[in-house]
Amino acid sequence: MVNNTNCEDLEKRIKEIEKESIELKWAEEAFRKSEEKLKNILHGSPIPTFVIDNIHRVIYWNRALEEYSGIKSKDIVRTDRHWKAFYDEKRPCMADLLLDGKIDDIPQWYPGKYMASDLIEGAYEAIDFFPRMGPSGKWLYFTAAPLKDSEGRLIGAVETLQDITETKKAEERIKSLSRQIIDIQERERESLSREIHDNIGQLLSALKMGLSRINKKMPDELSTIKDQLSELAYLVNKTIKEIRGLSHALHPPLIKDLGLISALEELCQEFKSYSEIKIKWNFEQIQKPLQSITNITIYRLFQEGLNNILKHSRATEAYLTLTSSENTINVIIEDNGVGFLVEDVFSLLKNTKSLGLISMRERLALIGGELKIISGPAKGTKLIARLEKE
Ligand SMILES: Nc1ncnc2c1ncn2[C@@H]1O[C@H](COP(=O)(O)OP(=O)(O)OP(=O)(O)O)[C@@H](O)[C@H]1O
Ligand SMILES: [Mg+2]
């Protein structure tokens, strides 16, 4: 005989199972819809994006990336050939390196082109040129981030790309224009310097000789006039020296004739002659011949550094060095003076007039160099510049 209670229990259990199965269907449907939604968002996004799973197989390849790479999603999804969009030979993309936790290998594949993302933990960004993309190559800024499930397990990686070719081209144009401006400025200075030296300098020398001739012919009885003539000759002489100094400051003729080191030594000797500040220097001869823009940049750096020491530092000592290693040139200009707040000089809001240090930084950047400034109130000042040997 069938037990009544058992029958009821069974019916109840069947109902429960039916309910559970409906709920499961709903959950599945909701999951499918949310996955579909995510796919649509990714697919419709104007940012070229791809996603790989934990065994480096592409699971998403959006429309924007199809456009960029010329590779259709259907031809690449479920393969591990995403590298084909960027490179000629098989190699890891940033997303692959992150997926394998090979952070230490990033420098090898993206030397000097990458950095850790400030925004997303574990993500990395890089900028690189891809000659195969587009008619004449593209500059891409790309970010890769690891993807984790709710338990923190690594389940894949996503990579987004941004075309920065136009920005790069604009940067290059600005760079080349700045270089031209500096070239023109130096040429103008050179011609002005020659003009002052050759023309005004010659005229003043003639004046000096004329005064001395008249003085010699003057009878000794006219001693007051003779004294006045001597005074005039002294002033003319002083003016000649000033003019020579100005002409040299505008364009150091020694760089071309005797080389950078002699020009720098001359600069220091001049400084010594008109300043109380004790100056020491150590300029190492650079074996490799440098481009004239590099020579002039180094010279202008020391010139501006010394001008600043004279004008602002109230130092008692200054020390200048020029050293070089296999690939770099190092410049140090140091004083023990009052120092200053570096951020004030480079703040657009606070500083409008001072151009010396800013233009030094710009000049260096144009030839791939950099300027570090260590200073602070009562801490003295140290300018450290590093330039690549061409
Ligand atoms: N060696 C130094 N010691 C103390 N203060 C300095 C030194 N060098 C620079 N400064 C400070 O930094 C400021 C900016 O220097 P910068 O050379 O850029 O401009 P500037 O010398 O004022 O003007 P210029 O455009 O003629 O060079 C100076 O006004 C000064 O306050
Ligand atoms: Mg200055």
Side-chain angles (χ1 to χ4, degrees):
M1 189 183 123
V2 181
N3 184 328
N4 240 355
T5 332
N6 269 353
C7 214
E8 271 170 23
D9 278 353
L10 206 61
E11 263 177 33
K12 207 172 150 198
R13 185 73 199 115
I14 288 171
K15 274 198 181 129
E16 270 173 14
I17 290 174
E18 271 177 352
K19 199 172 158 221
E20 274 168 18
S21 115
I22 289 168
E23 276 171 4
L24 196 66
K25 260 192 192 149
W26 282 351
E28 264 176 11
E29 183 62 14
F31 179 71
R32 201 188 52 73
K33 275 190 180 156
S34 96
E35 205 185 33
E36 195 69 21
K37 220 171 170 178
L38 183 66
K39 234 180 188 173
N40 285 339
I41 292 171
L42 269 177
H43 231 70
S45 162
I47 301 167
T49 306
F50 69 89
V51 181
I52 51 174
D53 65 10
N54 61 346
I55 53 165
H56 301 266
R57 271 181 333 196
V58 179
I59 49 176
Y60 289 119
W61 189 266
N62 75 353
R63 225 173 290 139
L65 188 50
E66 286 184 334
E67 283 292 316
Y68 261 80
S69 62
I71 299 175
K72 290 278 170 221
S73 164
K74 66 177 173 49
D75 298 326
I76 201 115
V77 166
R78 282 184 290 279
T79 76
D80 61 359
R81 293 196 297 268
H82 42 292
W83 55 269
K84 284 205 160 186
F86 314 101
Y87 308 107
D88 286 333
E89 286 169 8
K90 186 170 183 176
R91 54 154 281 178
C93 296
M94 187 69 93
D96 298 297
L97 295 170
L98 295 191
L99 188 61
D100 291 338
K102 290 184 175 165
I103 307 298
D104 292 346
D105 287 1
I106 297 178
Q108 173 198 332
W109 294 105
Y110 299 100
K113 303 169 184 167
Y114 74 97
M115 59 181 179
S117 164
D118 283 340
L119 290 176
I120 309 156
E121 205 194 323
Y124 278 78
E125 306 164 346
I127 291 177
D128 208 354
F129 182 68
F130 295 88
R132 289 185 49 194
M133 289 189 137
S136 52
K138 278 189 192 302
W139 278 98
L140 295 182
Y141 164 74
F142 46 103
T143 307
L147 293 173
K148 291 180 177 168
D149 66 10
S150 54
E151 265 114 54
R153 281 183 300 246
L154 203 56
I155 52 166
V158 56
E159 192 163 321
T160 60
L161 320 165
Q162 199 180 323
D163 185 355
I164 54 161
T165 312
E166 286 310 310
T167 320
K168 273 277 175 190
K169 276 187 190 161
E171 266 175 23
E172 285 304 316
R173 269 199 295 275
I174 291 172
K175 238 183 175 177
S176 119
L177 275 176
S178 309
R179 226 180 148 125
Q180 277 176 34
I181 289 171
I182 286 178
D183 271 357
I184 292 168
Q185 195 188 39
E186 288 296 345
R187 253 183 280 140
E188 283 288 308
R189 282 181 178 186
E190 190 176 351
S191 84
L192 202 62
S193 153
R194 214 177 309 116
E195 197 77 6
I196 291 174
H197 184 268
D198 296 355
N199 295 348
I200 305 178
Q202 296 297 335
L203 288 174
L204 286 170
S205 297
L207 188 61
K208 187 181 147 191
M209 282 192 305
L211 283 173
S212 139
R213 261 200 310 272
I214 298 171
N215 205 353
K216 270 188 198 142
K217 283 186 188 156
M218 274 286 164
D220 288 345
E221 302 85 75
L222 297 172
S223 64
T224 349
I225 297 179
K226 273 181 92 81
D227 284 351
Q228 280 173 358
L229 280 174
S230 298
E231 231 168 80
L232 284 179
Y234 169 77
L235 282 180
V236 170
N237 216 10
K238 215 173 153 200
T239 315
I240 290 173
K241 276 192 187 147
E242 290 280 328
I243 285 284
R244 193 175 299 143
L246 181 65
S247 151
H248 284 188
L250 275 169
H251 185 76
L254 281 172
I255 295 187
K256 261 189 202 156
D257 305 340
L258 298 177
L260 176 67
I261 305 297
S262 302
L264 290 176
E265 276 166 356
E266 171 86 12
L267 191 68
C268 292
Q269 293 292 1
E270 263 175 42
F271 182 89
K272 228 175 155 179
S273 71
Y274 54 66
S275 165
E276 303 264 282
I277 301 170
K278 262 194 220 148
I279 175 174
K280 284 189 194 155
W281 62 87
N282 176 23
F283 301 135
E284 246 178 42
Q285 200 71 44
I286 298 164
Q287 297 309 333
K288 213 166 154 188
L290 302 174
Q291 270 187 27
S292 92
I293 188 165
T294 310
N295 275 329
I296 202 91
T297 304
I298 296 173
Y299 184 86
R300 294 286 182 218
L301 200 60
F302 279 112
Q303 195 178 31
E304 178 58 24
L306 282 178
N307 277 343
N308 280 351
I309 290 175
L310 199 66
K311 277 200 294 183
H312 313 294
S313 77
R314 284 189 259 147
T316 53
E317 283 173 29
Y319 187 48
L320 319 183
T321 59
L322 174 72
T323 52
S324 72
S325 57
E326 199 183 340
N327 298 316
T328 57
I329 301 165
N330 303 298
V331 168
I332 299 181
I333 305 164
E334 202 175 355
D335 69 66
N336 65 348
V338 292
F340 64 104
L341 285 172
V342 181
E343 55 272 26
D344 283 359
V345 173
F346 291 93
S347 146
L348 287 177
L349 294 175
K350 290 195 180 164
N351 195 300
T352 47
K353 294 188 295 295
S354 300
L355 280 176
L357 293 175
I358 291 175
S359 72
M360 277 308 113
R361 191 163 268 179
E362 295 285 313
R363 273 181 182 251
L364 279 166
L366 280 180
I367 54 171
E370 54 187 24
L371 177 67
K372 199 169 145 191
I373 304 169
I374 305 170
S375 190
K379 283 194 179 148
T381 300
K382 192 171 183 178
L383 307 183
I384 306 170
R386 204 183 53 80
L387 294 87
E388 298 287 330
K389 277 188 190 166
E390 311 88 11

